[in-house]
Amino acid sequence: MTTTPINELLKRPIAWKTWGADPTVRRLLSGLQANIVKGHGREHTRNLFWSFQGADPNDLRAVVRRIGRNMPSALDQLQAAERFKETGVSGGPVLCFFLRPGGYAALQAAAAAPSAADFVEGMQVRGSSPAVTPPINDPPVAQWDATFQQPIDAMLLVAGDTAAEAAQTADLWKGRLEAAGATLLGFEDGTAIKRRVAEKFEGVEHFGYVDGRSQPLFLAEDVEGEPRSHWDPAFPPHQFLVQDPGADRPTSFGSFFVFRKLEQNVKGFKDQEEALSTALGLAGGPFEERAGALIVGRFEDGSPVALNPLPTDMPPPNDFTYAGDEQARRCPFVAHIRKTNPRGESPLHIAQDFGVATTTRQERGHIMARRGITYGSRVFDDAANDFTDEPTGGVGLLFMAYMASLSEQFEFTQATWANNPNFVAAGTGADIVMGQAAAGPIPIADGWSGGAPVTFSFDRFVTLKGGEYFFAPSRDFLKAV
Ligand code: HEM
């Protein structure tokens, strides 16, 4: 039996299947919540947002300990996923629990709360704070949904295979938390939408694009299953896990967590795609769909436009970089996936355009583990494998992500990369999908056809309706609070 020191274990992807042979792996994964090292995979979720003010601390602690005992650990989740592959029997509903500083205080555990300033200040302050530079530029809190305008102390995430399973499990815990004096501020339901690609079903977001394909991997078994000749999807677990200040064990880890409700105006976005396709001379022809791919960086079926001039209807690859497309002739610099993960190219451009040294290692350090799900109902025609409606609101993405640093990962990606019109190169423009900066006209070219750049004024069709920063404590802490 080997006992790998915890600091060593967190440097490279963890071989979890041999957990029985290494007590550090077992302790880490048993003490950790589900959904961090890998998405829970359920198609229905309910996020419940809580105020703990006025609740009885003893009663509240008893319910939180019970949540800690009932939630699957990361190890339970991974083992259940293996069983599901073999037997088709689901591991059942998944519970995850998150706290804000006010939640720790209400549990009379204020000393156990992480002290990082970004976490303590929270999204309401950070999103429009002049002290955060460059700014995140969130819309004013007064324009957010009512749930998120109030101080939130905790969030319970319930995930199930059906909407009924998620709702019933959520109701059970809602009753228990309310009996302890907690107040439900509101909840959000998530429902995954699937589209057929190469005879498999891939999750799509409301603009119609396959989402969630590109992920940092921090389990050795997941890395082994991925081609990696060009892009290395392996990341050190310490980029997503932090020692839980509320637990004594050296193997007790938690993770910072971002929740953002992002509303999507589907009609506005689709009309803009069409207008761009007309401006580029692609409308009505075989390459019409490329206009959208130039904005997102992938076609709707997930094929990267850096690799293909047309959708391929193949399983979406992730083993690619922008090497060979340094001048952005195939995939514009402004494309969403190129803005939010330059895949090793930022050192070159930043040095060339701004004379600032940066490394690939630093660039990779900003990547987070995305675990979002779509919300709102749509009309999806299975035979046509596409949506048939185009709502202007009421649908969107419950963006969720785990990370070791809120400011270095989520905030950096949003503000320094996506919002910044001069990233990755001077004059690139802000991210067209989720940038929060004046849109303005930018030159955009369809290099695949060799056409000249057109100047196009993009509008914004994604709006933040509210959100918060949380900490997902270790189960070790929750079970003992
Ligand atoms: C409604 C808003 C959003 C939509 C519709 C959207 C859509 C997409 C799509 C279609 C992909 C391609 C699928 C993939 O490569 O996995 C993607 C990738 C990605 N998105 Fe978003 N996204 C949104 C918000 C955000 C936000 C707020 C962030 C971060 C602040 C973000 C960061 C990323 C990252 C890092 C990738 C992976 C890029 C890569 O590694 O190649 N997205 N998004």
Side-chain angles (χ1 to χ4, degrees), residues 224-295:
E224 277 159 24
E226 280 281 318
R228 53 204 142 104
S229 312
H230 305 282
W231 167 249
D232 183 5
F235 281 75
H238 65 64
Q239 191 163 323
F240 311 92
L241 301 178
V242 288
Q243 180 114 43
D244 187 342
D248 297 333
R249 284 181 168 206
T251 48
S252 299
F253 278 75
S255 186
F256 288 105
F257 183 84
V258 173
F259 176 90
R260 282 167 88 77
K261 181 179 180 186
L262 297 170
E263 187 177 60
Q264 292 175 253
N265 174 346
V266 177
K267 180 164 176 21
F269 190 85
K270 288 292 172 195
D271 286 351
Q272 172 159 278
E273 276 182 3
E274 238 177 89
L276 178 63
S277 135
T278 304
L280 292 170
L282 299 171
F287 300 115
E288 190 167 20
E289 274 202 44
R290 202 153 65 217
L294 299 176
I295 296 175

Side-chain angles (χ1 to χ4, degrees), residues 54 67 76 114 177-178 194-195 242 301 318 384 397 436-437 454 472:
I67 293 174
D76 295 333
L177 280 161
E178 283 175 343
K194 302 273 171 157
R195 154 181 237 130
V242 288
D301 72 351
N318 194 37
L397 180 69
Q436 298 189 138
V454 297

Side-chain angles (χ1 to χ4, degrees), residues 2 51 53-54 73 100 134 166 176 222 246 255 299 310 321 361 364 373 381 384 403 447 459 461 471 477:
T2 15
S51 166
Q53 302 315 303
S73 67
R100 297 260 327 125
R176 288 172 180 161
D222 289 348
S255 186
F299 287 90
L310 278 168
T321 65
R361 196 191 166 104
R364 288 173 64 90
I373 189 164
D381 181 340
M403 62 206 78
D459 280 328
F461 297 106
F471 186 66
F477 165 77

Side-chain angles (χ1 to χ4, degrees), residues 205 207 209-214 262 264 296 298 336-337 340-341 343 368 370 397 399 410 413-414 433-434 462:
E205 53 69 47
F207 293 150
Y209 293 80
V210 166
D211 198 3
R213 170 62 182 99
S214 169
L262 297 170
Q264 292 175 253
V296 174
R298 290 185 185 264
H336 174 55
I337 64 164
T340 55
N341 181 5
R343 295 180 183 243
M368 51 197 144
R370 293 177 300 130
L397 180 69
F399 176 87
F410 165 68
T413 305
Q414 181 74 56
V433 175
M434 45 55 94
V462 168

Side-chain angles (χ1 to χ4, degrees), residues 51 69 94 103 118 152 159 187 234 281 287-288 315 324 326 336 341 360 402 404 413 415 424 433 462 468:
S51 166
R69 287 195 306 271
V94 173
D118 43 21
I152 297 169
F187 66 88
F287 300 115
E288 190 167 20
E326 284 83 0
H336 174 55
N341 181 5
T360 307
Y402 291 93
T413 305
V424 57
V433 175
V462 168
E468 194 43 286

